[in-house]
Amino acid sequence: MKKFLINFTIIISSISGVFICILSEKSVADGYQLLWIHPLTFLIVFILIFSNLIRYKKFKITVYFTVLLSWIRCVLIPIVSSLSGLYNGIPYMENYTKSIELAIWLVPYELIISSFFLWIMVVSNKVTLRPKDELKLKGDKYIYLIFIVTALSLYLLIGRNLNIIKLFFVSTEETGVFSDIVSTPMLLLRYIIKSGMIFFFVWSVSYCKNKYESKGKKRYVYYAIIVGIINVGIIIGGRRSEQLYTCLVVIFILTRAFKKYRKRIITYIVITAISVAFVMTIYKQFSAAYYGSYSAALNANNVDLEFIAKNLQSYFFGTQNLAVTIELKKATDLNIINMLYDFGRSIFGISFLLKNKMMMTTEYFNTFIYGVSRANGHVLSGIGYGYIYFGTLFSPIIVCLNMFISIKLEKYFNKTNSYEMTYIVGYILIRFATNIYVNTPPLISLSTIMLFTAGLIYFVAKLFKNNYNRIMLTTRGECSKHIKTSGGLNK
């Protein structure tokens, strides 16, 4: 019944989207007359491809998020834009009619090609069943303890004064605005502190799981949930997506450790994530720091259909975003060297060697939008990035690359039985799955930082534990051999 309602809602909304776009009572902006093609294409793709992918029940994370993001982009945005009359959500972006018309066609083209590619990936990859055995802490707990203490010390000595991270909310009384860090050393420091919290979480869950199994007391389940809530409550910059990534990974681990408390765990963790994301939305979208309080900021701003249309177009790559990318290609002479630099600059370690050698494509993109030099601001879509470097025919290649990486990550995620790798790989997987339509380099950037901070600590801790166990087994074996050859202890 639940699946029927979801399918029914998706199909009805898509059909409605076609008619709302065609019969819109609001005046249609120049270039947007064929916007109804988006919901129509999604309807066809859903019936022929997405519905079958859902039935396969393989690689659910990648498939479900692809369907959801495609629906938002191709159905919800056209509906809200048509009802509100707001087609160009960013007022300071110039509107290019010809490029908008091309962008209208590129989005459904991308959807058709990428969905077919996803179908091939799902069908051709064998299902990796989740291990039946329980999750285990594979690294040495004393190595984790040293790292946790180090991360805590760095936060107290440096991070706290620099607003590296916040917990649950950001005070509006502080000077300066709490936002994303672009400095590589500060970004690395932030992820070291974040990684300390990750290992504190997985260690705590492992400990509570063992205590719960030996003593059977519920309080150990709640101890683990509390640590999970704290983990979800950590705010990194202005990115509310961090709460989504952490929320899902924490739920994966806790529900696998404490299967009987699944509903309770999901309820507590989701409520925490939504609450923190809501507070951060007021802080960022409504400029709470400017008004001096969250309530004043909320009262001073109206949430209407135009506000929703503007934010949907901004965060989910509306047609205007792609049209500006098309114009950027005309105005600049970007080539494959620029693309290789983007990818190299996004890989942790290599990025230090390539720093300040060239401008990244996102810098060109935002400088073109704002008219002044800007390193960030608006996110470049995958189809836009593909159009710049591969042209119209091969423009979906970037989104297909994201899907390929996401499938491979999910395949590994499904077979791991380690607390640590479930968190690390799960976090990277969610980042790719929820950003399927984003250009790849920024996804690689934070993913490699996670691998070279948390991943490196896990590797060292696991190596130390394995070597220690090997030494102990060897020592015991030699002792037993010595006892046997000497004729026993009492001889």
Side-chain angles (χ1 to χ4, degrees):
M1 185 64 180
K2 184 179 179 181
K3 292 181 180 179
F4 171 78
L5 289 175
I6 293 173
N7 290 339
F8 180 78
T9 302
I10 290 174
I11 292 173
I12 292 299
S13 62
S14 301
I15 295 172
S16 301
V18 174
F19 286 104
I20 289 172
C21 290
I22 294 175
L23 306 174
S24 175
E25 295 181 357
K26 303 281 186 178
S27 59
V28 180
D30 290 340
Y32 288 92
Q33 287 78 8
L34 296 178
L35 189 60
W36 57 269
I37 292 173
H38 289 191
L40 178 61
T41 304
F42 177 83
L43 176 63
I44 296 171
V45 169
F46 180 80
I47 293 172
L48 297 180
I49 299 178
F50 285 155
S51 59
N52 290 318
L53 287 177
I54 293 171
R55 288 194 198 100
Y56 288 146
K57 296 181 179 180
K58 296 169 59 177
F59 305 106
K60 292 181 181 180
I61 296 173
T62 303
V63 170
Y64 288 176
F65 274 112
T66 299
V67 174
L68 175 62
L69 294 170
S70 300
W71 179 82
I72 292 173
R73 198 173 181 212
C74 294
V75 178
L76 186 59
I77 290 179
I79 288 175
V80 176
S81 296
S82 298
L83 293 176
S84 65
L86 184 65
Y87 291 88
N88 296 303
I90 312 302
Y92 49 81
M93 278 190 186
E94 290 190 40
N95 301 319
Y96 309 94
T97 303
K98 291 296 181 182
S99 293
I100 287 172
E101 291 173 349
L102 176 58
I104 293 291
W105 286 103
L106 280 176
V107 171
Y109 174 63
E110 176 195 42
L111 178 61
I112 293 169
I113 299 298
S114 62
S115 60
F116 183 68
F117 176 81
L118 181 61
W119 180 79
I120 293 174
M121 286 295 298
V122 171
V123 172
S124 62
N125 278 274
K126 294 181 179 179
V127 177
T128 304
L129 297 176
R130 188 176 291 278
K132 294 181 180 180
D133 53 332
E134 300 291 341
L135 290 175
K136 297 178 181 178
L137 198 69
K138 295 296 185 70
D140 186 84
K141 61 183 179 181
Y142 295 109
I143 297 295
Y144 293 151
L145 178 60
I146 293 171
F147 181 74
I148 291 167
V149 172
T150 302
L152 179 61
S153 301
L154 287 173
Y155 171 72
L156 294 175
L157 294 174
I158 303 173
R160 183 171 55 177
N161 296 327
L162 295 176
N163 285 335
I164 292 294
I165 62 173
K166 294 292 181 181
L167 188 62
F168 296 119
F169 74 99
V170 180
S171 175
T172 57
E173 297 178 358
E174 296 179 7
T175 56
V177 178
F178 185 69
S179 59
D180 288 331
I181 290 175
V182 295
S183 168
T184 302
M186 289 296 100
L187 189 64
L188 181 59
L189 177 61
R190 174 176 279 177
Y191 268 86
I192 289 174
I193 297 171
K194 170 71 175 176
S195 298
M197 192 62 222
I198 290 172
F199 288 112
F200 178 66
F201 169 70
V202 295
W203 187 17
S204 299
V205 174
S206 176
Y207 174 82
C208 291
K209 170 68 172 176
N210 293 335
K211 285 293 183 181
Y212 173 74
E213 287 184 339
S214 62
K215 296 186 177 182
K217 294 183 179 181
K218 291 183 181 179
R219 67 168 180 260
Y220 292 108
V221 179
Y222 288 104
Y223 291 158
I225 292 174
I226 289 170
V227 178
I229 287 173
I230 294 172
N231 210 282
V232 174
I234 293 176
I235 299 172
I236 296 183
R239 290 182 288 107
R240 291 148 291 178
S241 57
E242 181 71 22
Q243 268 57 53
L244 174 61
Y245 309 151
T246 308
C247 168
L248 293 176
V249 175
V250 166
I251 287 174
F252 289 150
I253 292 176
L254 286 177
T255 53
R256 192 169 170 188
F258 306 101
K259 297 180 177 66
K260 294 181 180 179
Y261 298 87
R262 178 181 176 84
K263 290 184 179 179
R264 204 168 301 181
I265 289 168
I266 293 174
T267 300
Y268 292 148
I269 300 300
V270 168
I271 288 175
T272 301
I274 292 175
S275 300
V276 175
F278 176 72
V279 170
M280 283 307 299
T281 298
I282 299 173
Y283 181 85
K284 186 175 182 180
Q285 294 294 124
F286 298 156
S287 305
Y290 172 80
Y291 290 100
S293 72
Y294 284 94
S295 58
L298 195 58
N299 293 329
N301 291 273
N302 294 321
V303 179
D304 53 15
L305 205 57
E306 288 190 2
F307 174 86
I308 296 172
K310 177 182 176 181
N311 280 277
L312 284 174
Q313 292 176 35
S314 178
Y315 287 105
F316 295 96
F317 313 112
T319 305
Q320 186 185 18
N321 179 287
L322 180 53
V324 172
T325 310
I326 294 170
E327 290 296 319
L328 173 66
K329 181 177 174 64
K330 297 177 183 177
T332 55
D333 186 24
L334 298 174
N335 54 51
I336 198 70
I337 301 298
N338 296 93
M339 187 192 74
L340 294 175
Y341 179 77
D342 288 341
F343 278 84
R345 186 75 174 83
S346 300
I347 299 173
F348 183 81
I350 298 177
S351 61
F352 291 102
L353 302 175
L354 298 176
K355 190 173 183 180
N356 298 326
K357 299 296 183 181
M358 296 172 62
M359 278 181 65
M360 296 185 71
T361 307
T362 52
E363 294 180 67
Y364 281 105
F365 181 61
N366 282 284
T367 299
F368 185 76
I369 291 172
Y370 292 102
V372 294
S373 181
R374 285 286 296 268
N376 51 36
H378 288 274
V379 180
L380 183 59
S381 67
I383 182 69
Y385 194 86
Y387 177 82
I388 289 174
Y389 292 111
F390 301 104
T392 302
L393 184 62
F394 296 102
S395 55
I397 196 169
I398 296 298
V399 176
C400 292
L401 175 62
N402 292 343
M403 289 177 173
F404 175 83
I405 296 173
S406 185
I407 289 290
K408 294 302 180 182
L409 286 168
E410 189 166 354
K411 193 172 184 178
Y412 183 86
F413 176 78
N414 286 335
K415 69 180 182 180
T416 184
N417 62 348
S418 156
Y419 278 110
E420 300 96 323
M421 290 309 292
T422 297
Y423 196 114
I424 294 168
V425 176
Y427 180 94
I428 299 172
L429 167 62
I430 296 300
R431 177 161 178 78
F432 268 91
T434 57
N435 291 277
I436 284 291
Y437 293 110
V438 177
N439 74 94
T440 310
L443 303 182
I444 292 176
S445 179
L446 292 182
S447 298
T448 54
I449 290 175
M450 173 65 80
L451 282 175
F452 281 93
T453 50
L456 181 61
I457 296 301
Y458 166 68
F459 175 77
V460 172
K462 185 179 179 182
L463 186 66
F464 185 86
K465 186 175 182 178
N466 290 343
N467 287 336
Y468 175 79
N469 291 338
R470 192 178 297 114
I471 291 170
M472 291 301 296
L473 288 172
T474 303
T475 303
R476 289 172 184 172
E478 289 178 353
C479 289
S480 299
K481 183 178 180 181
H482 176 73
I483 291 170
K484 289 178 180 179
T485 55
S486 60
L489 290 172
N490 297 322
K491 184 175 180 180

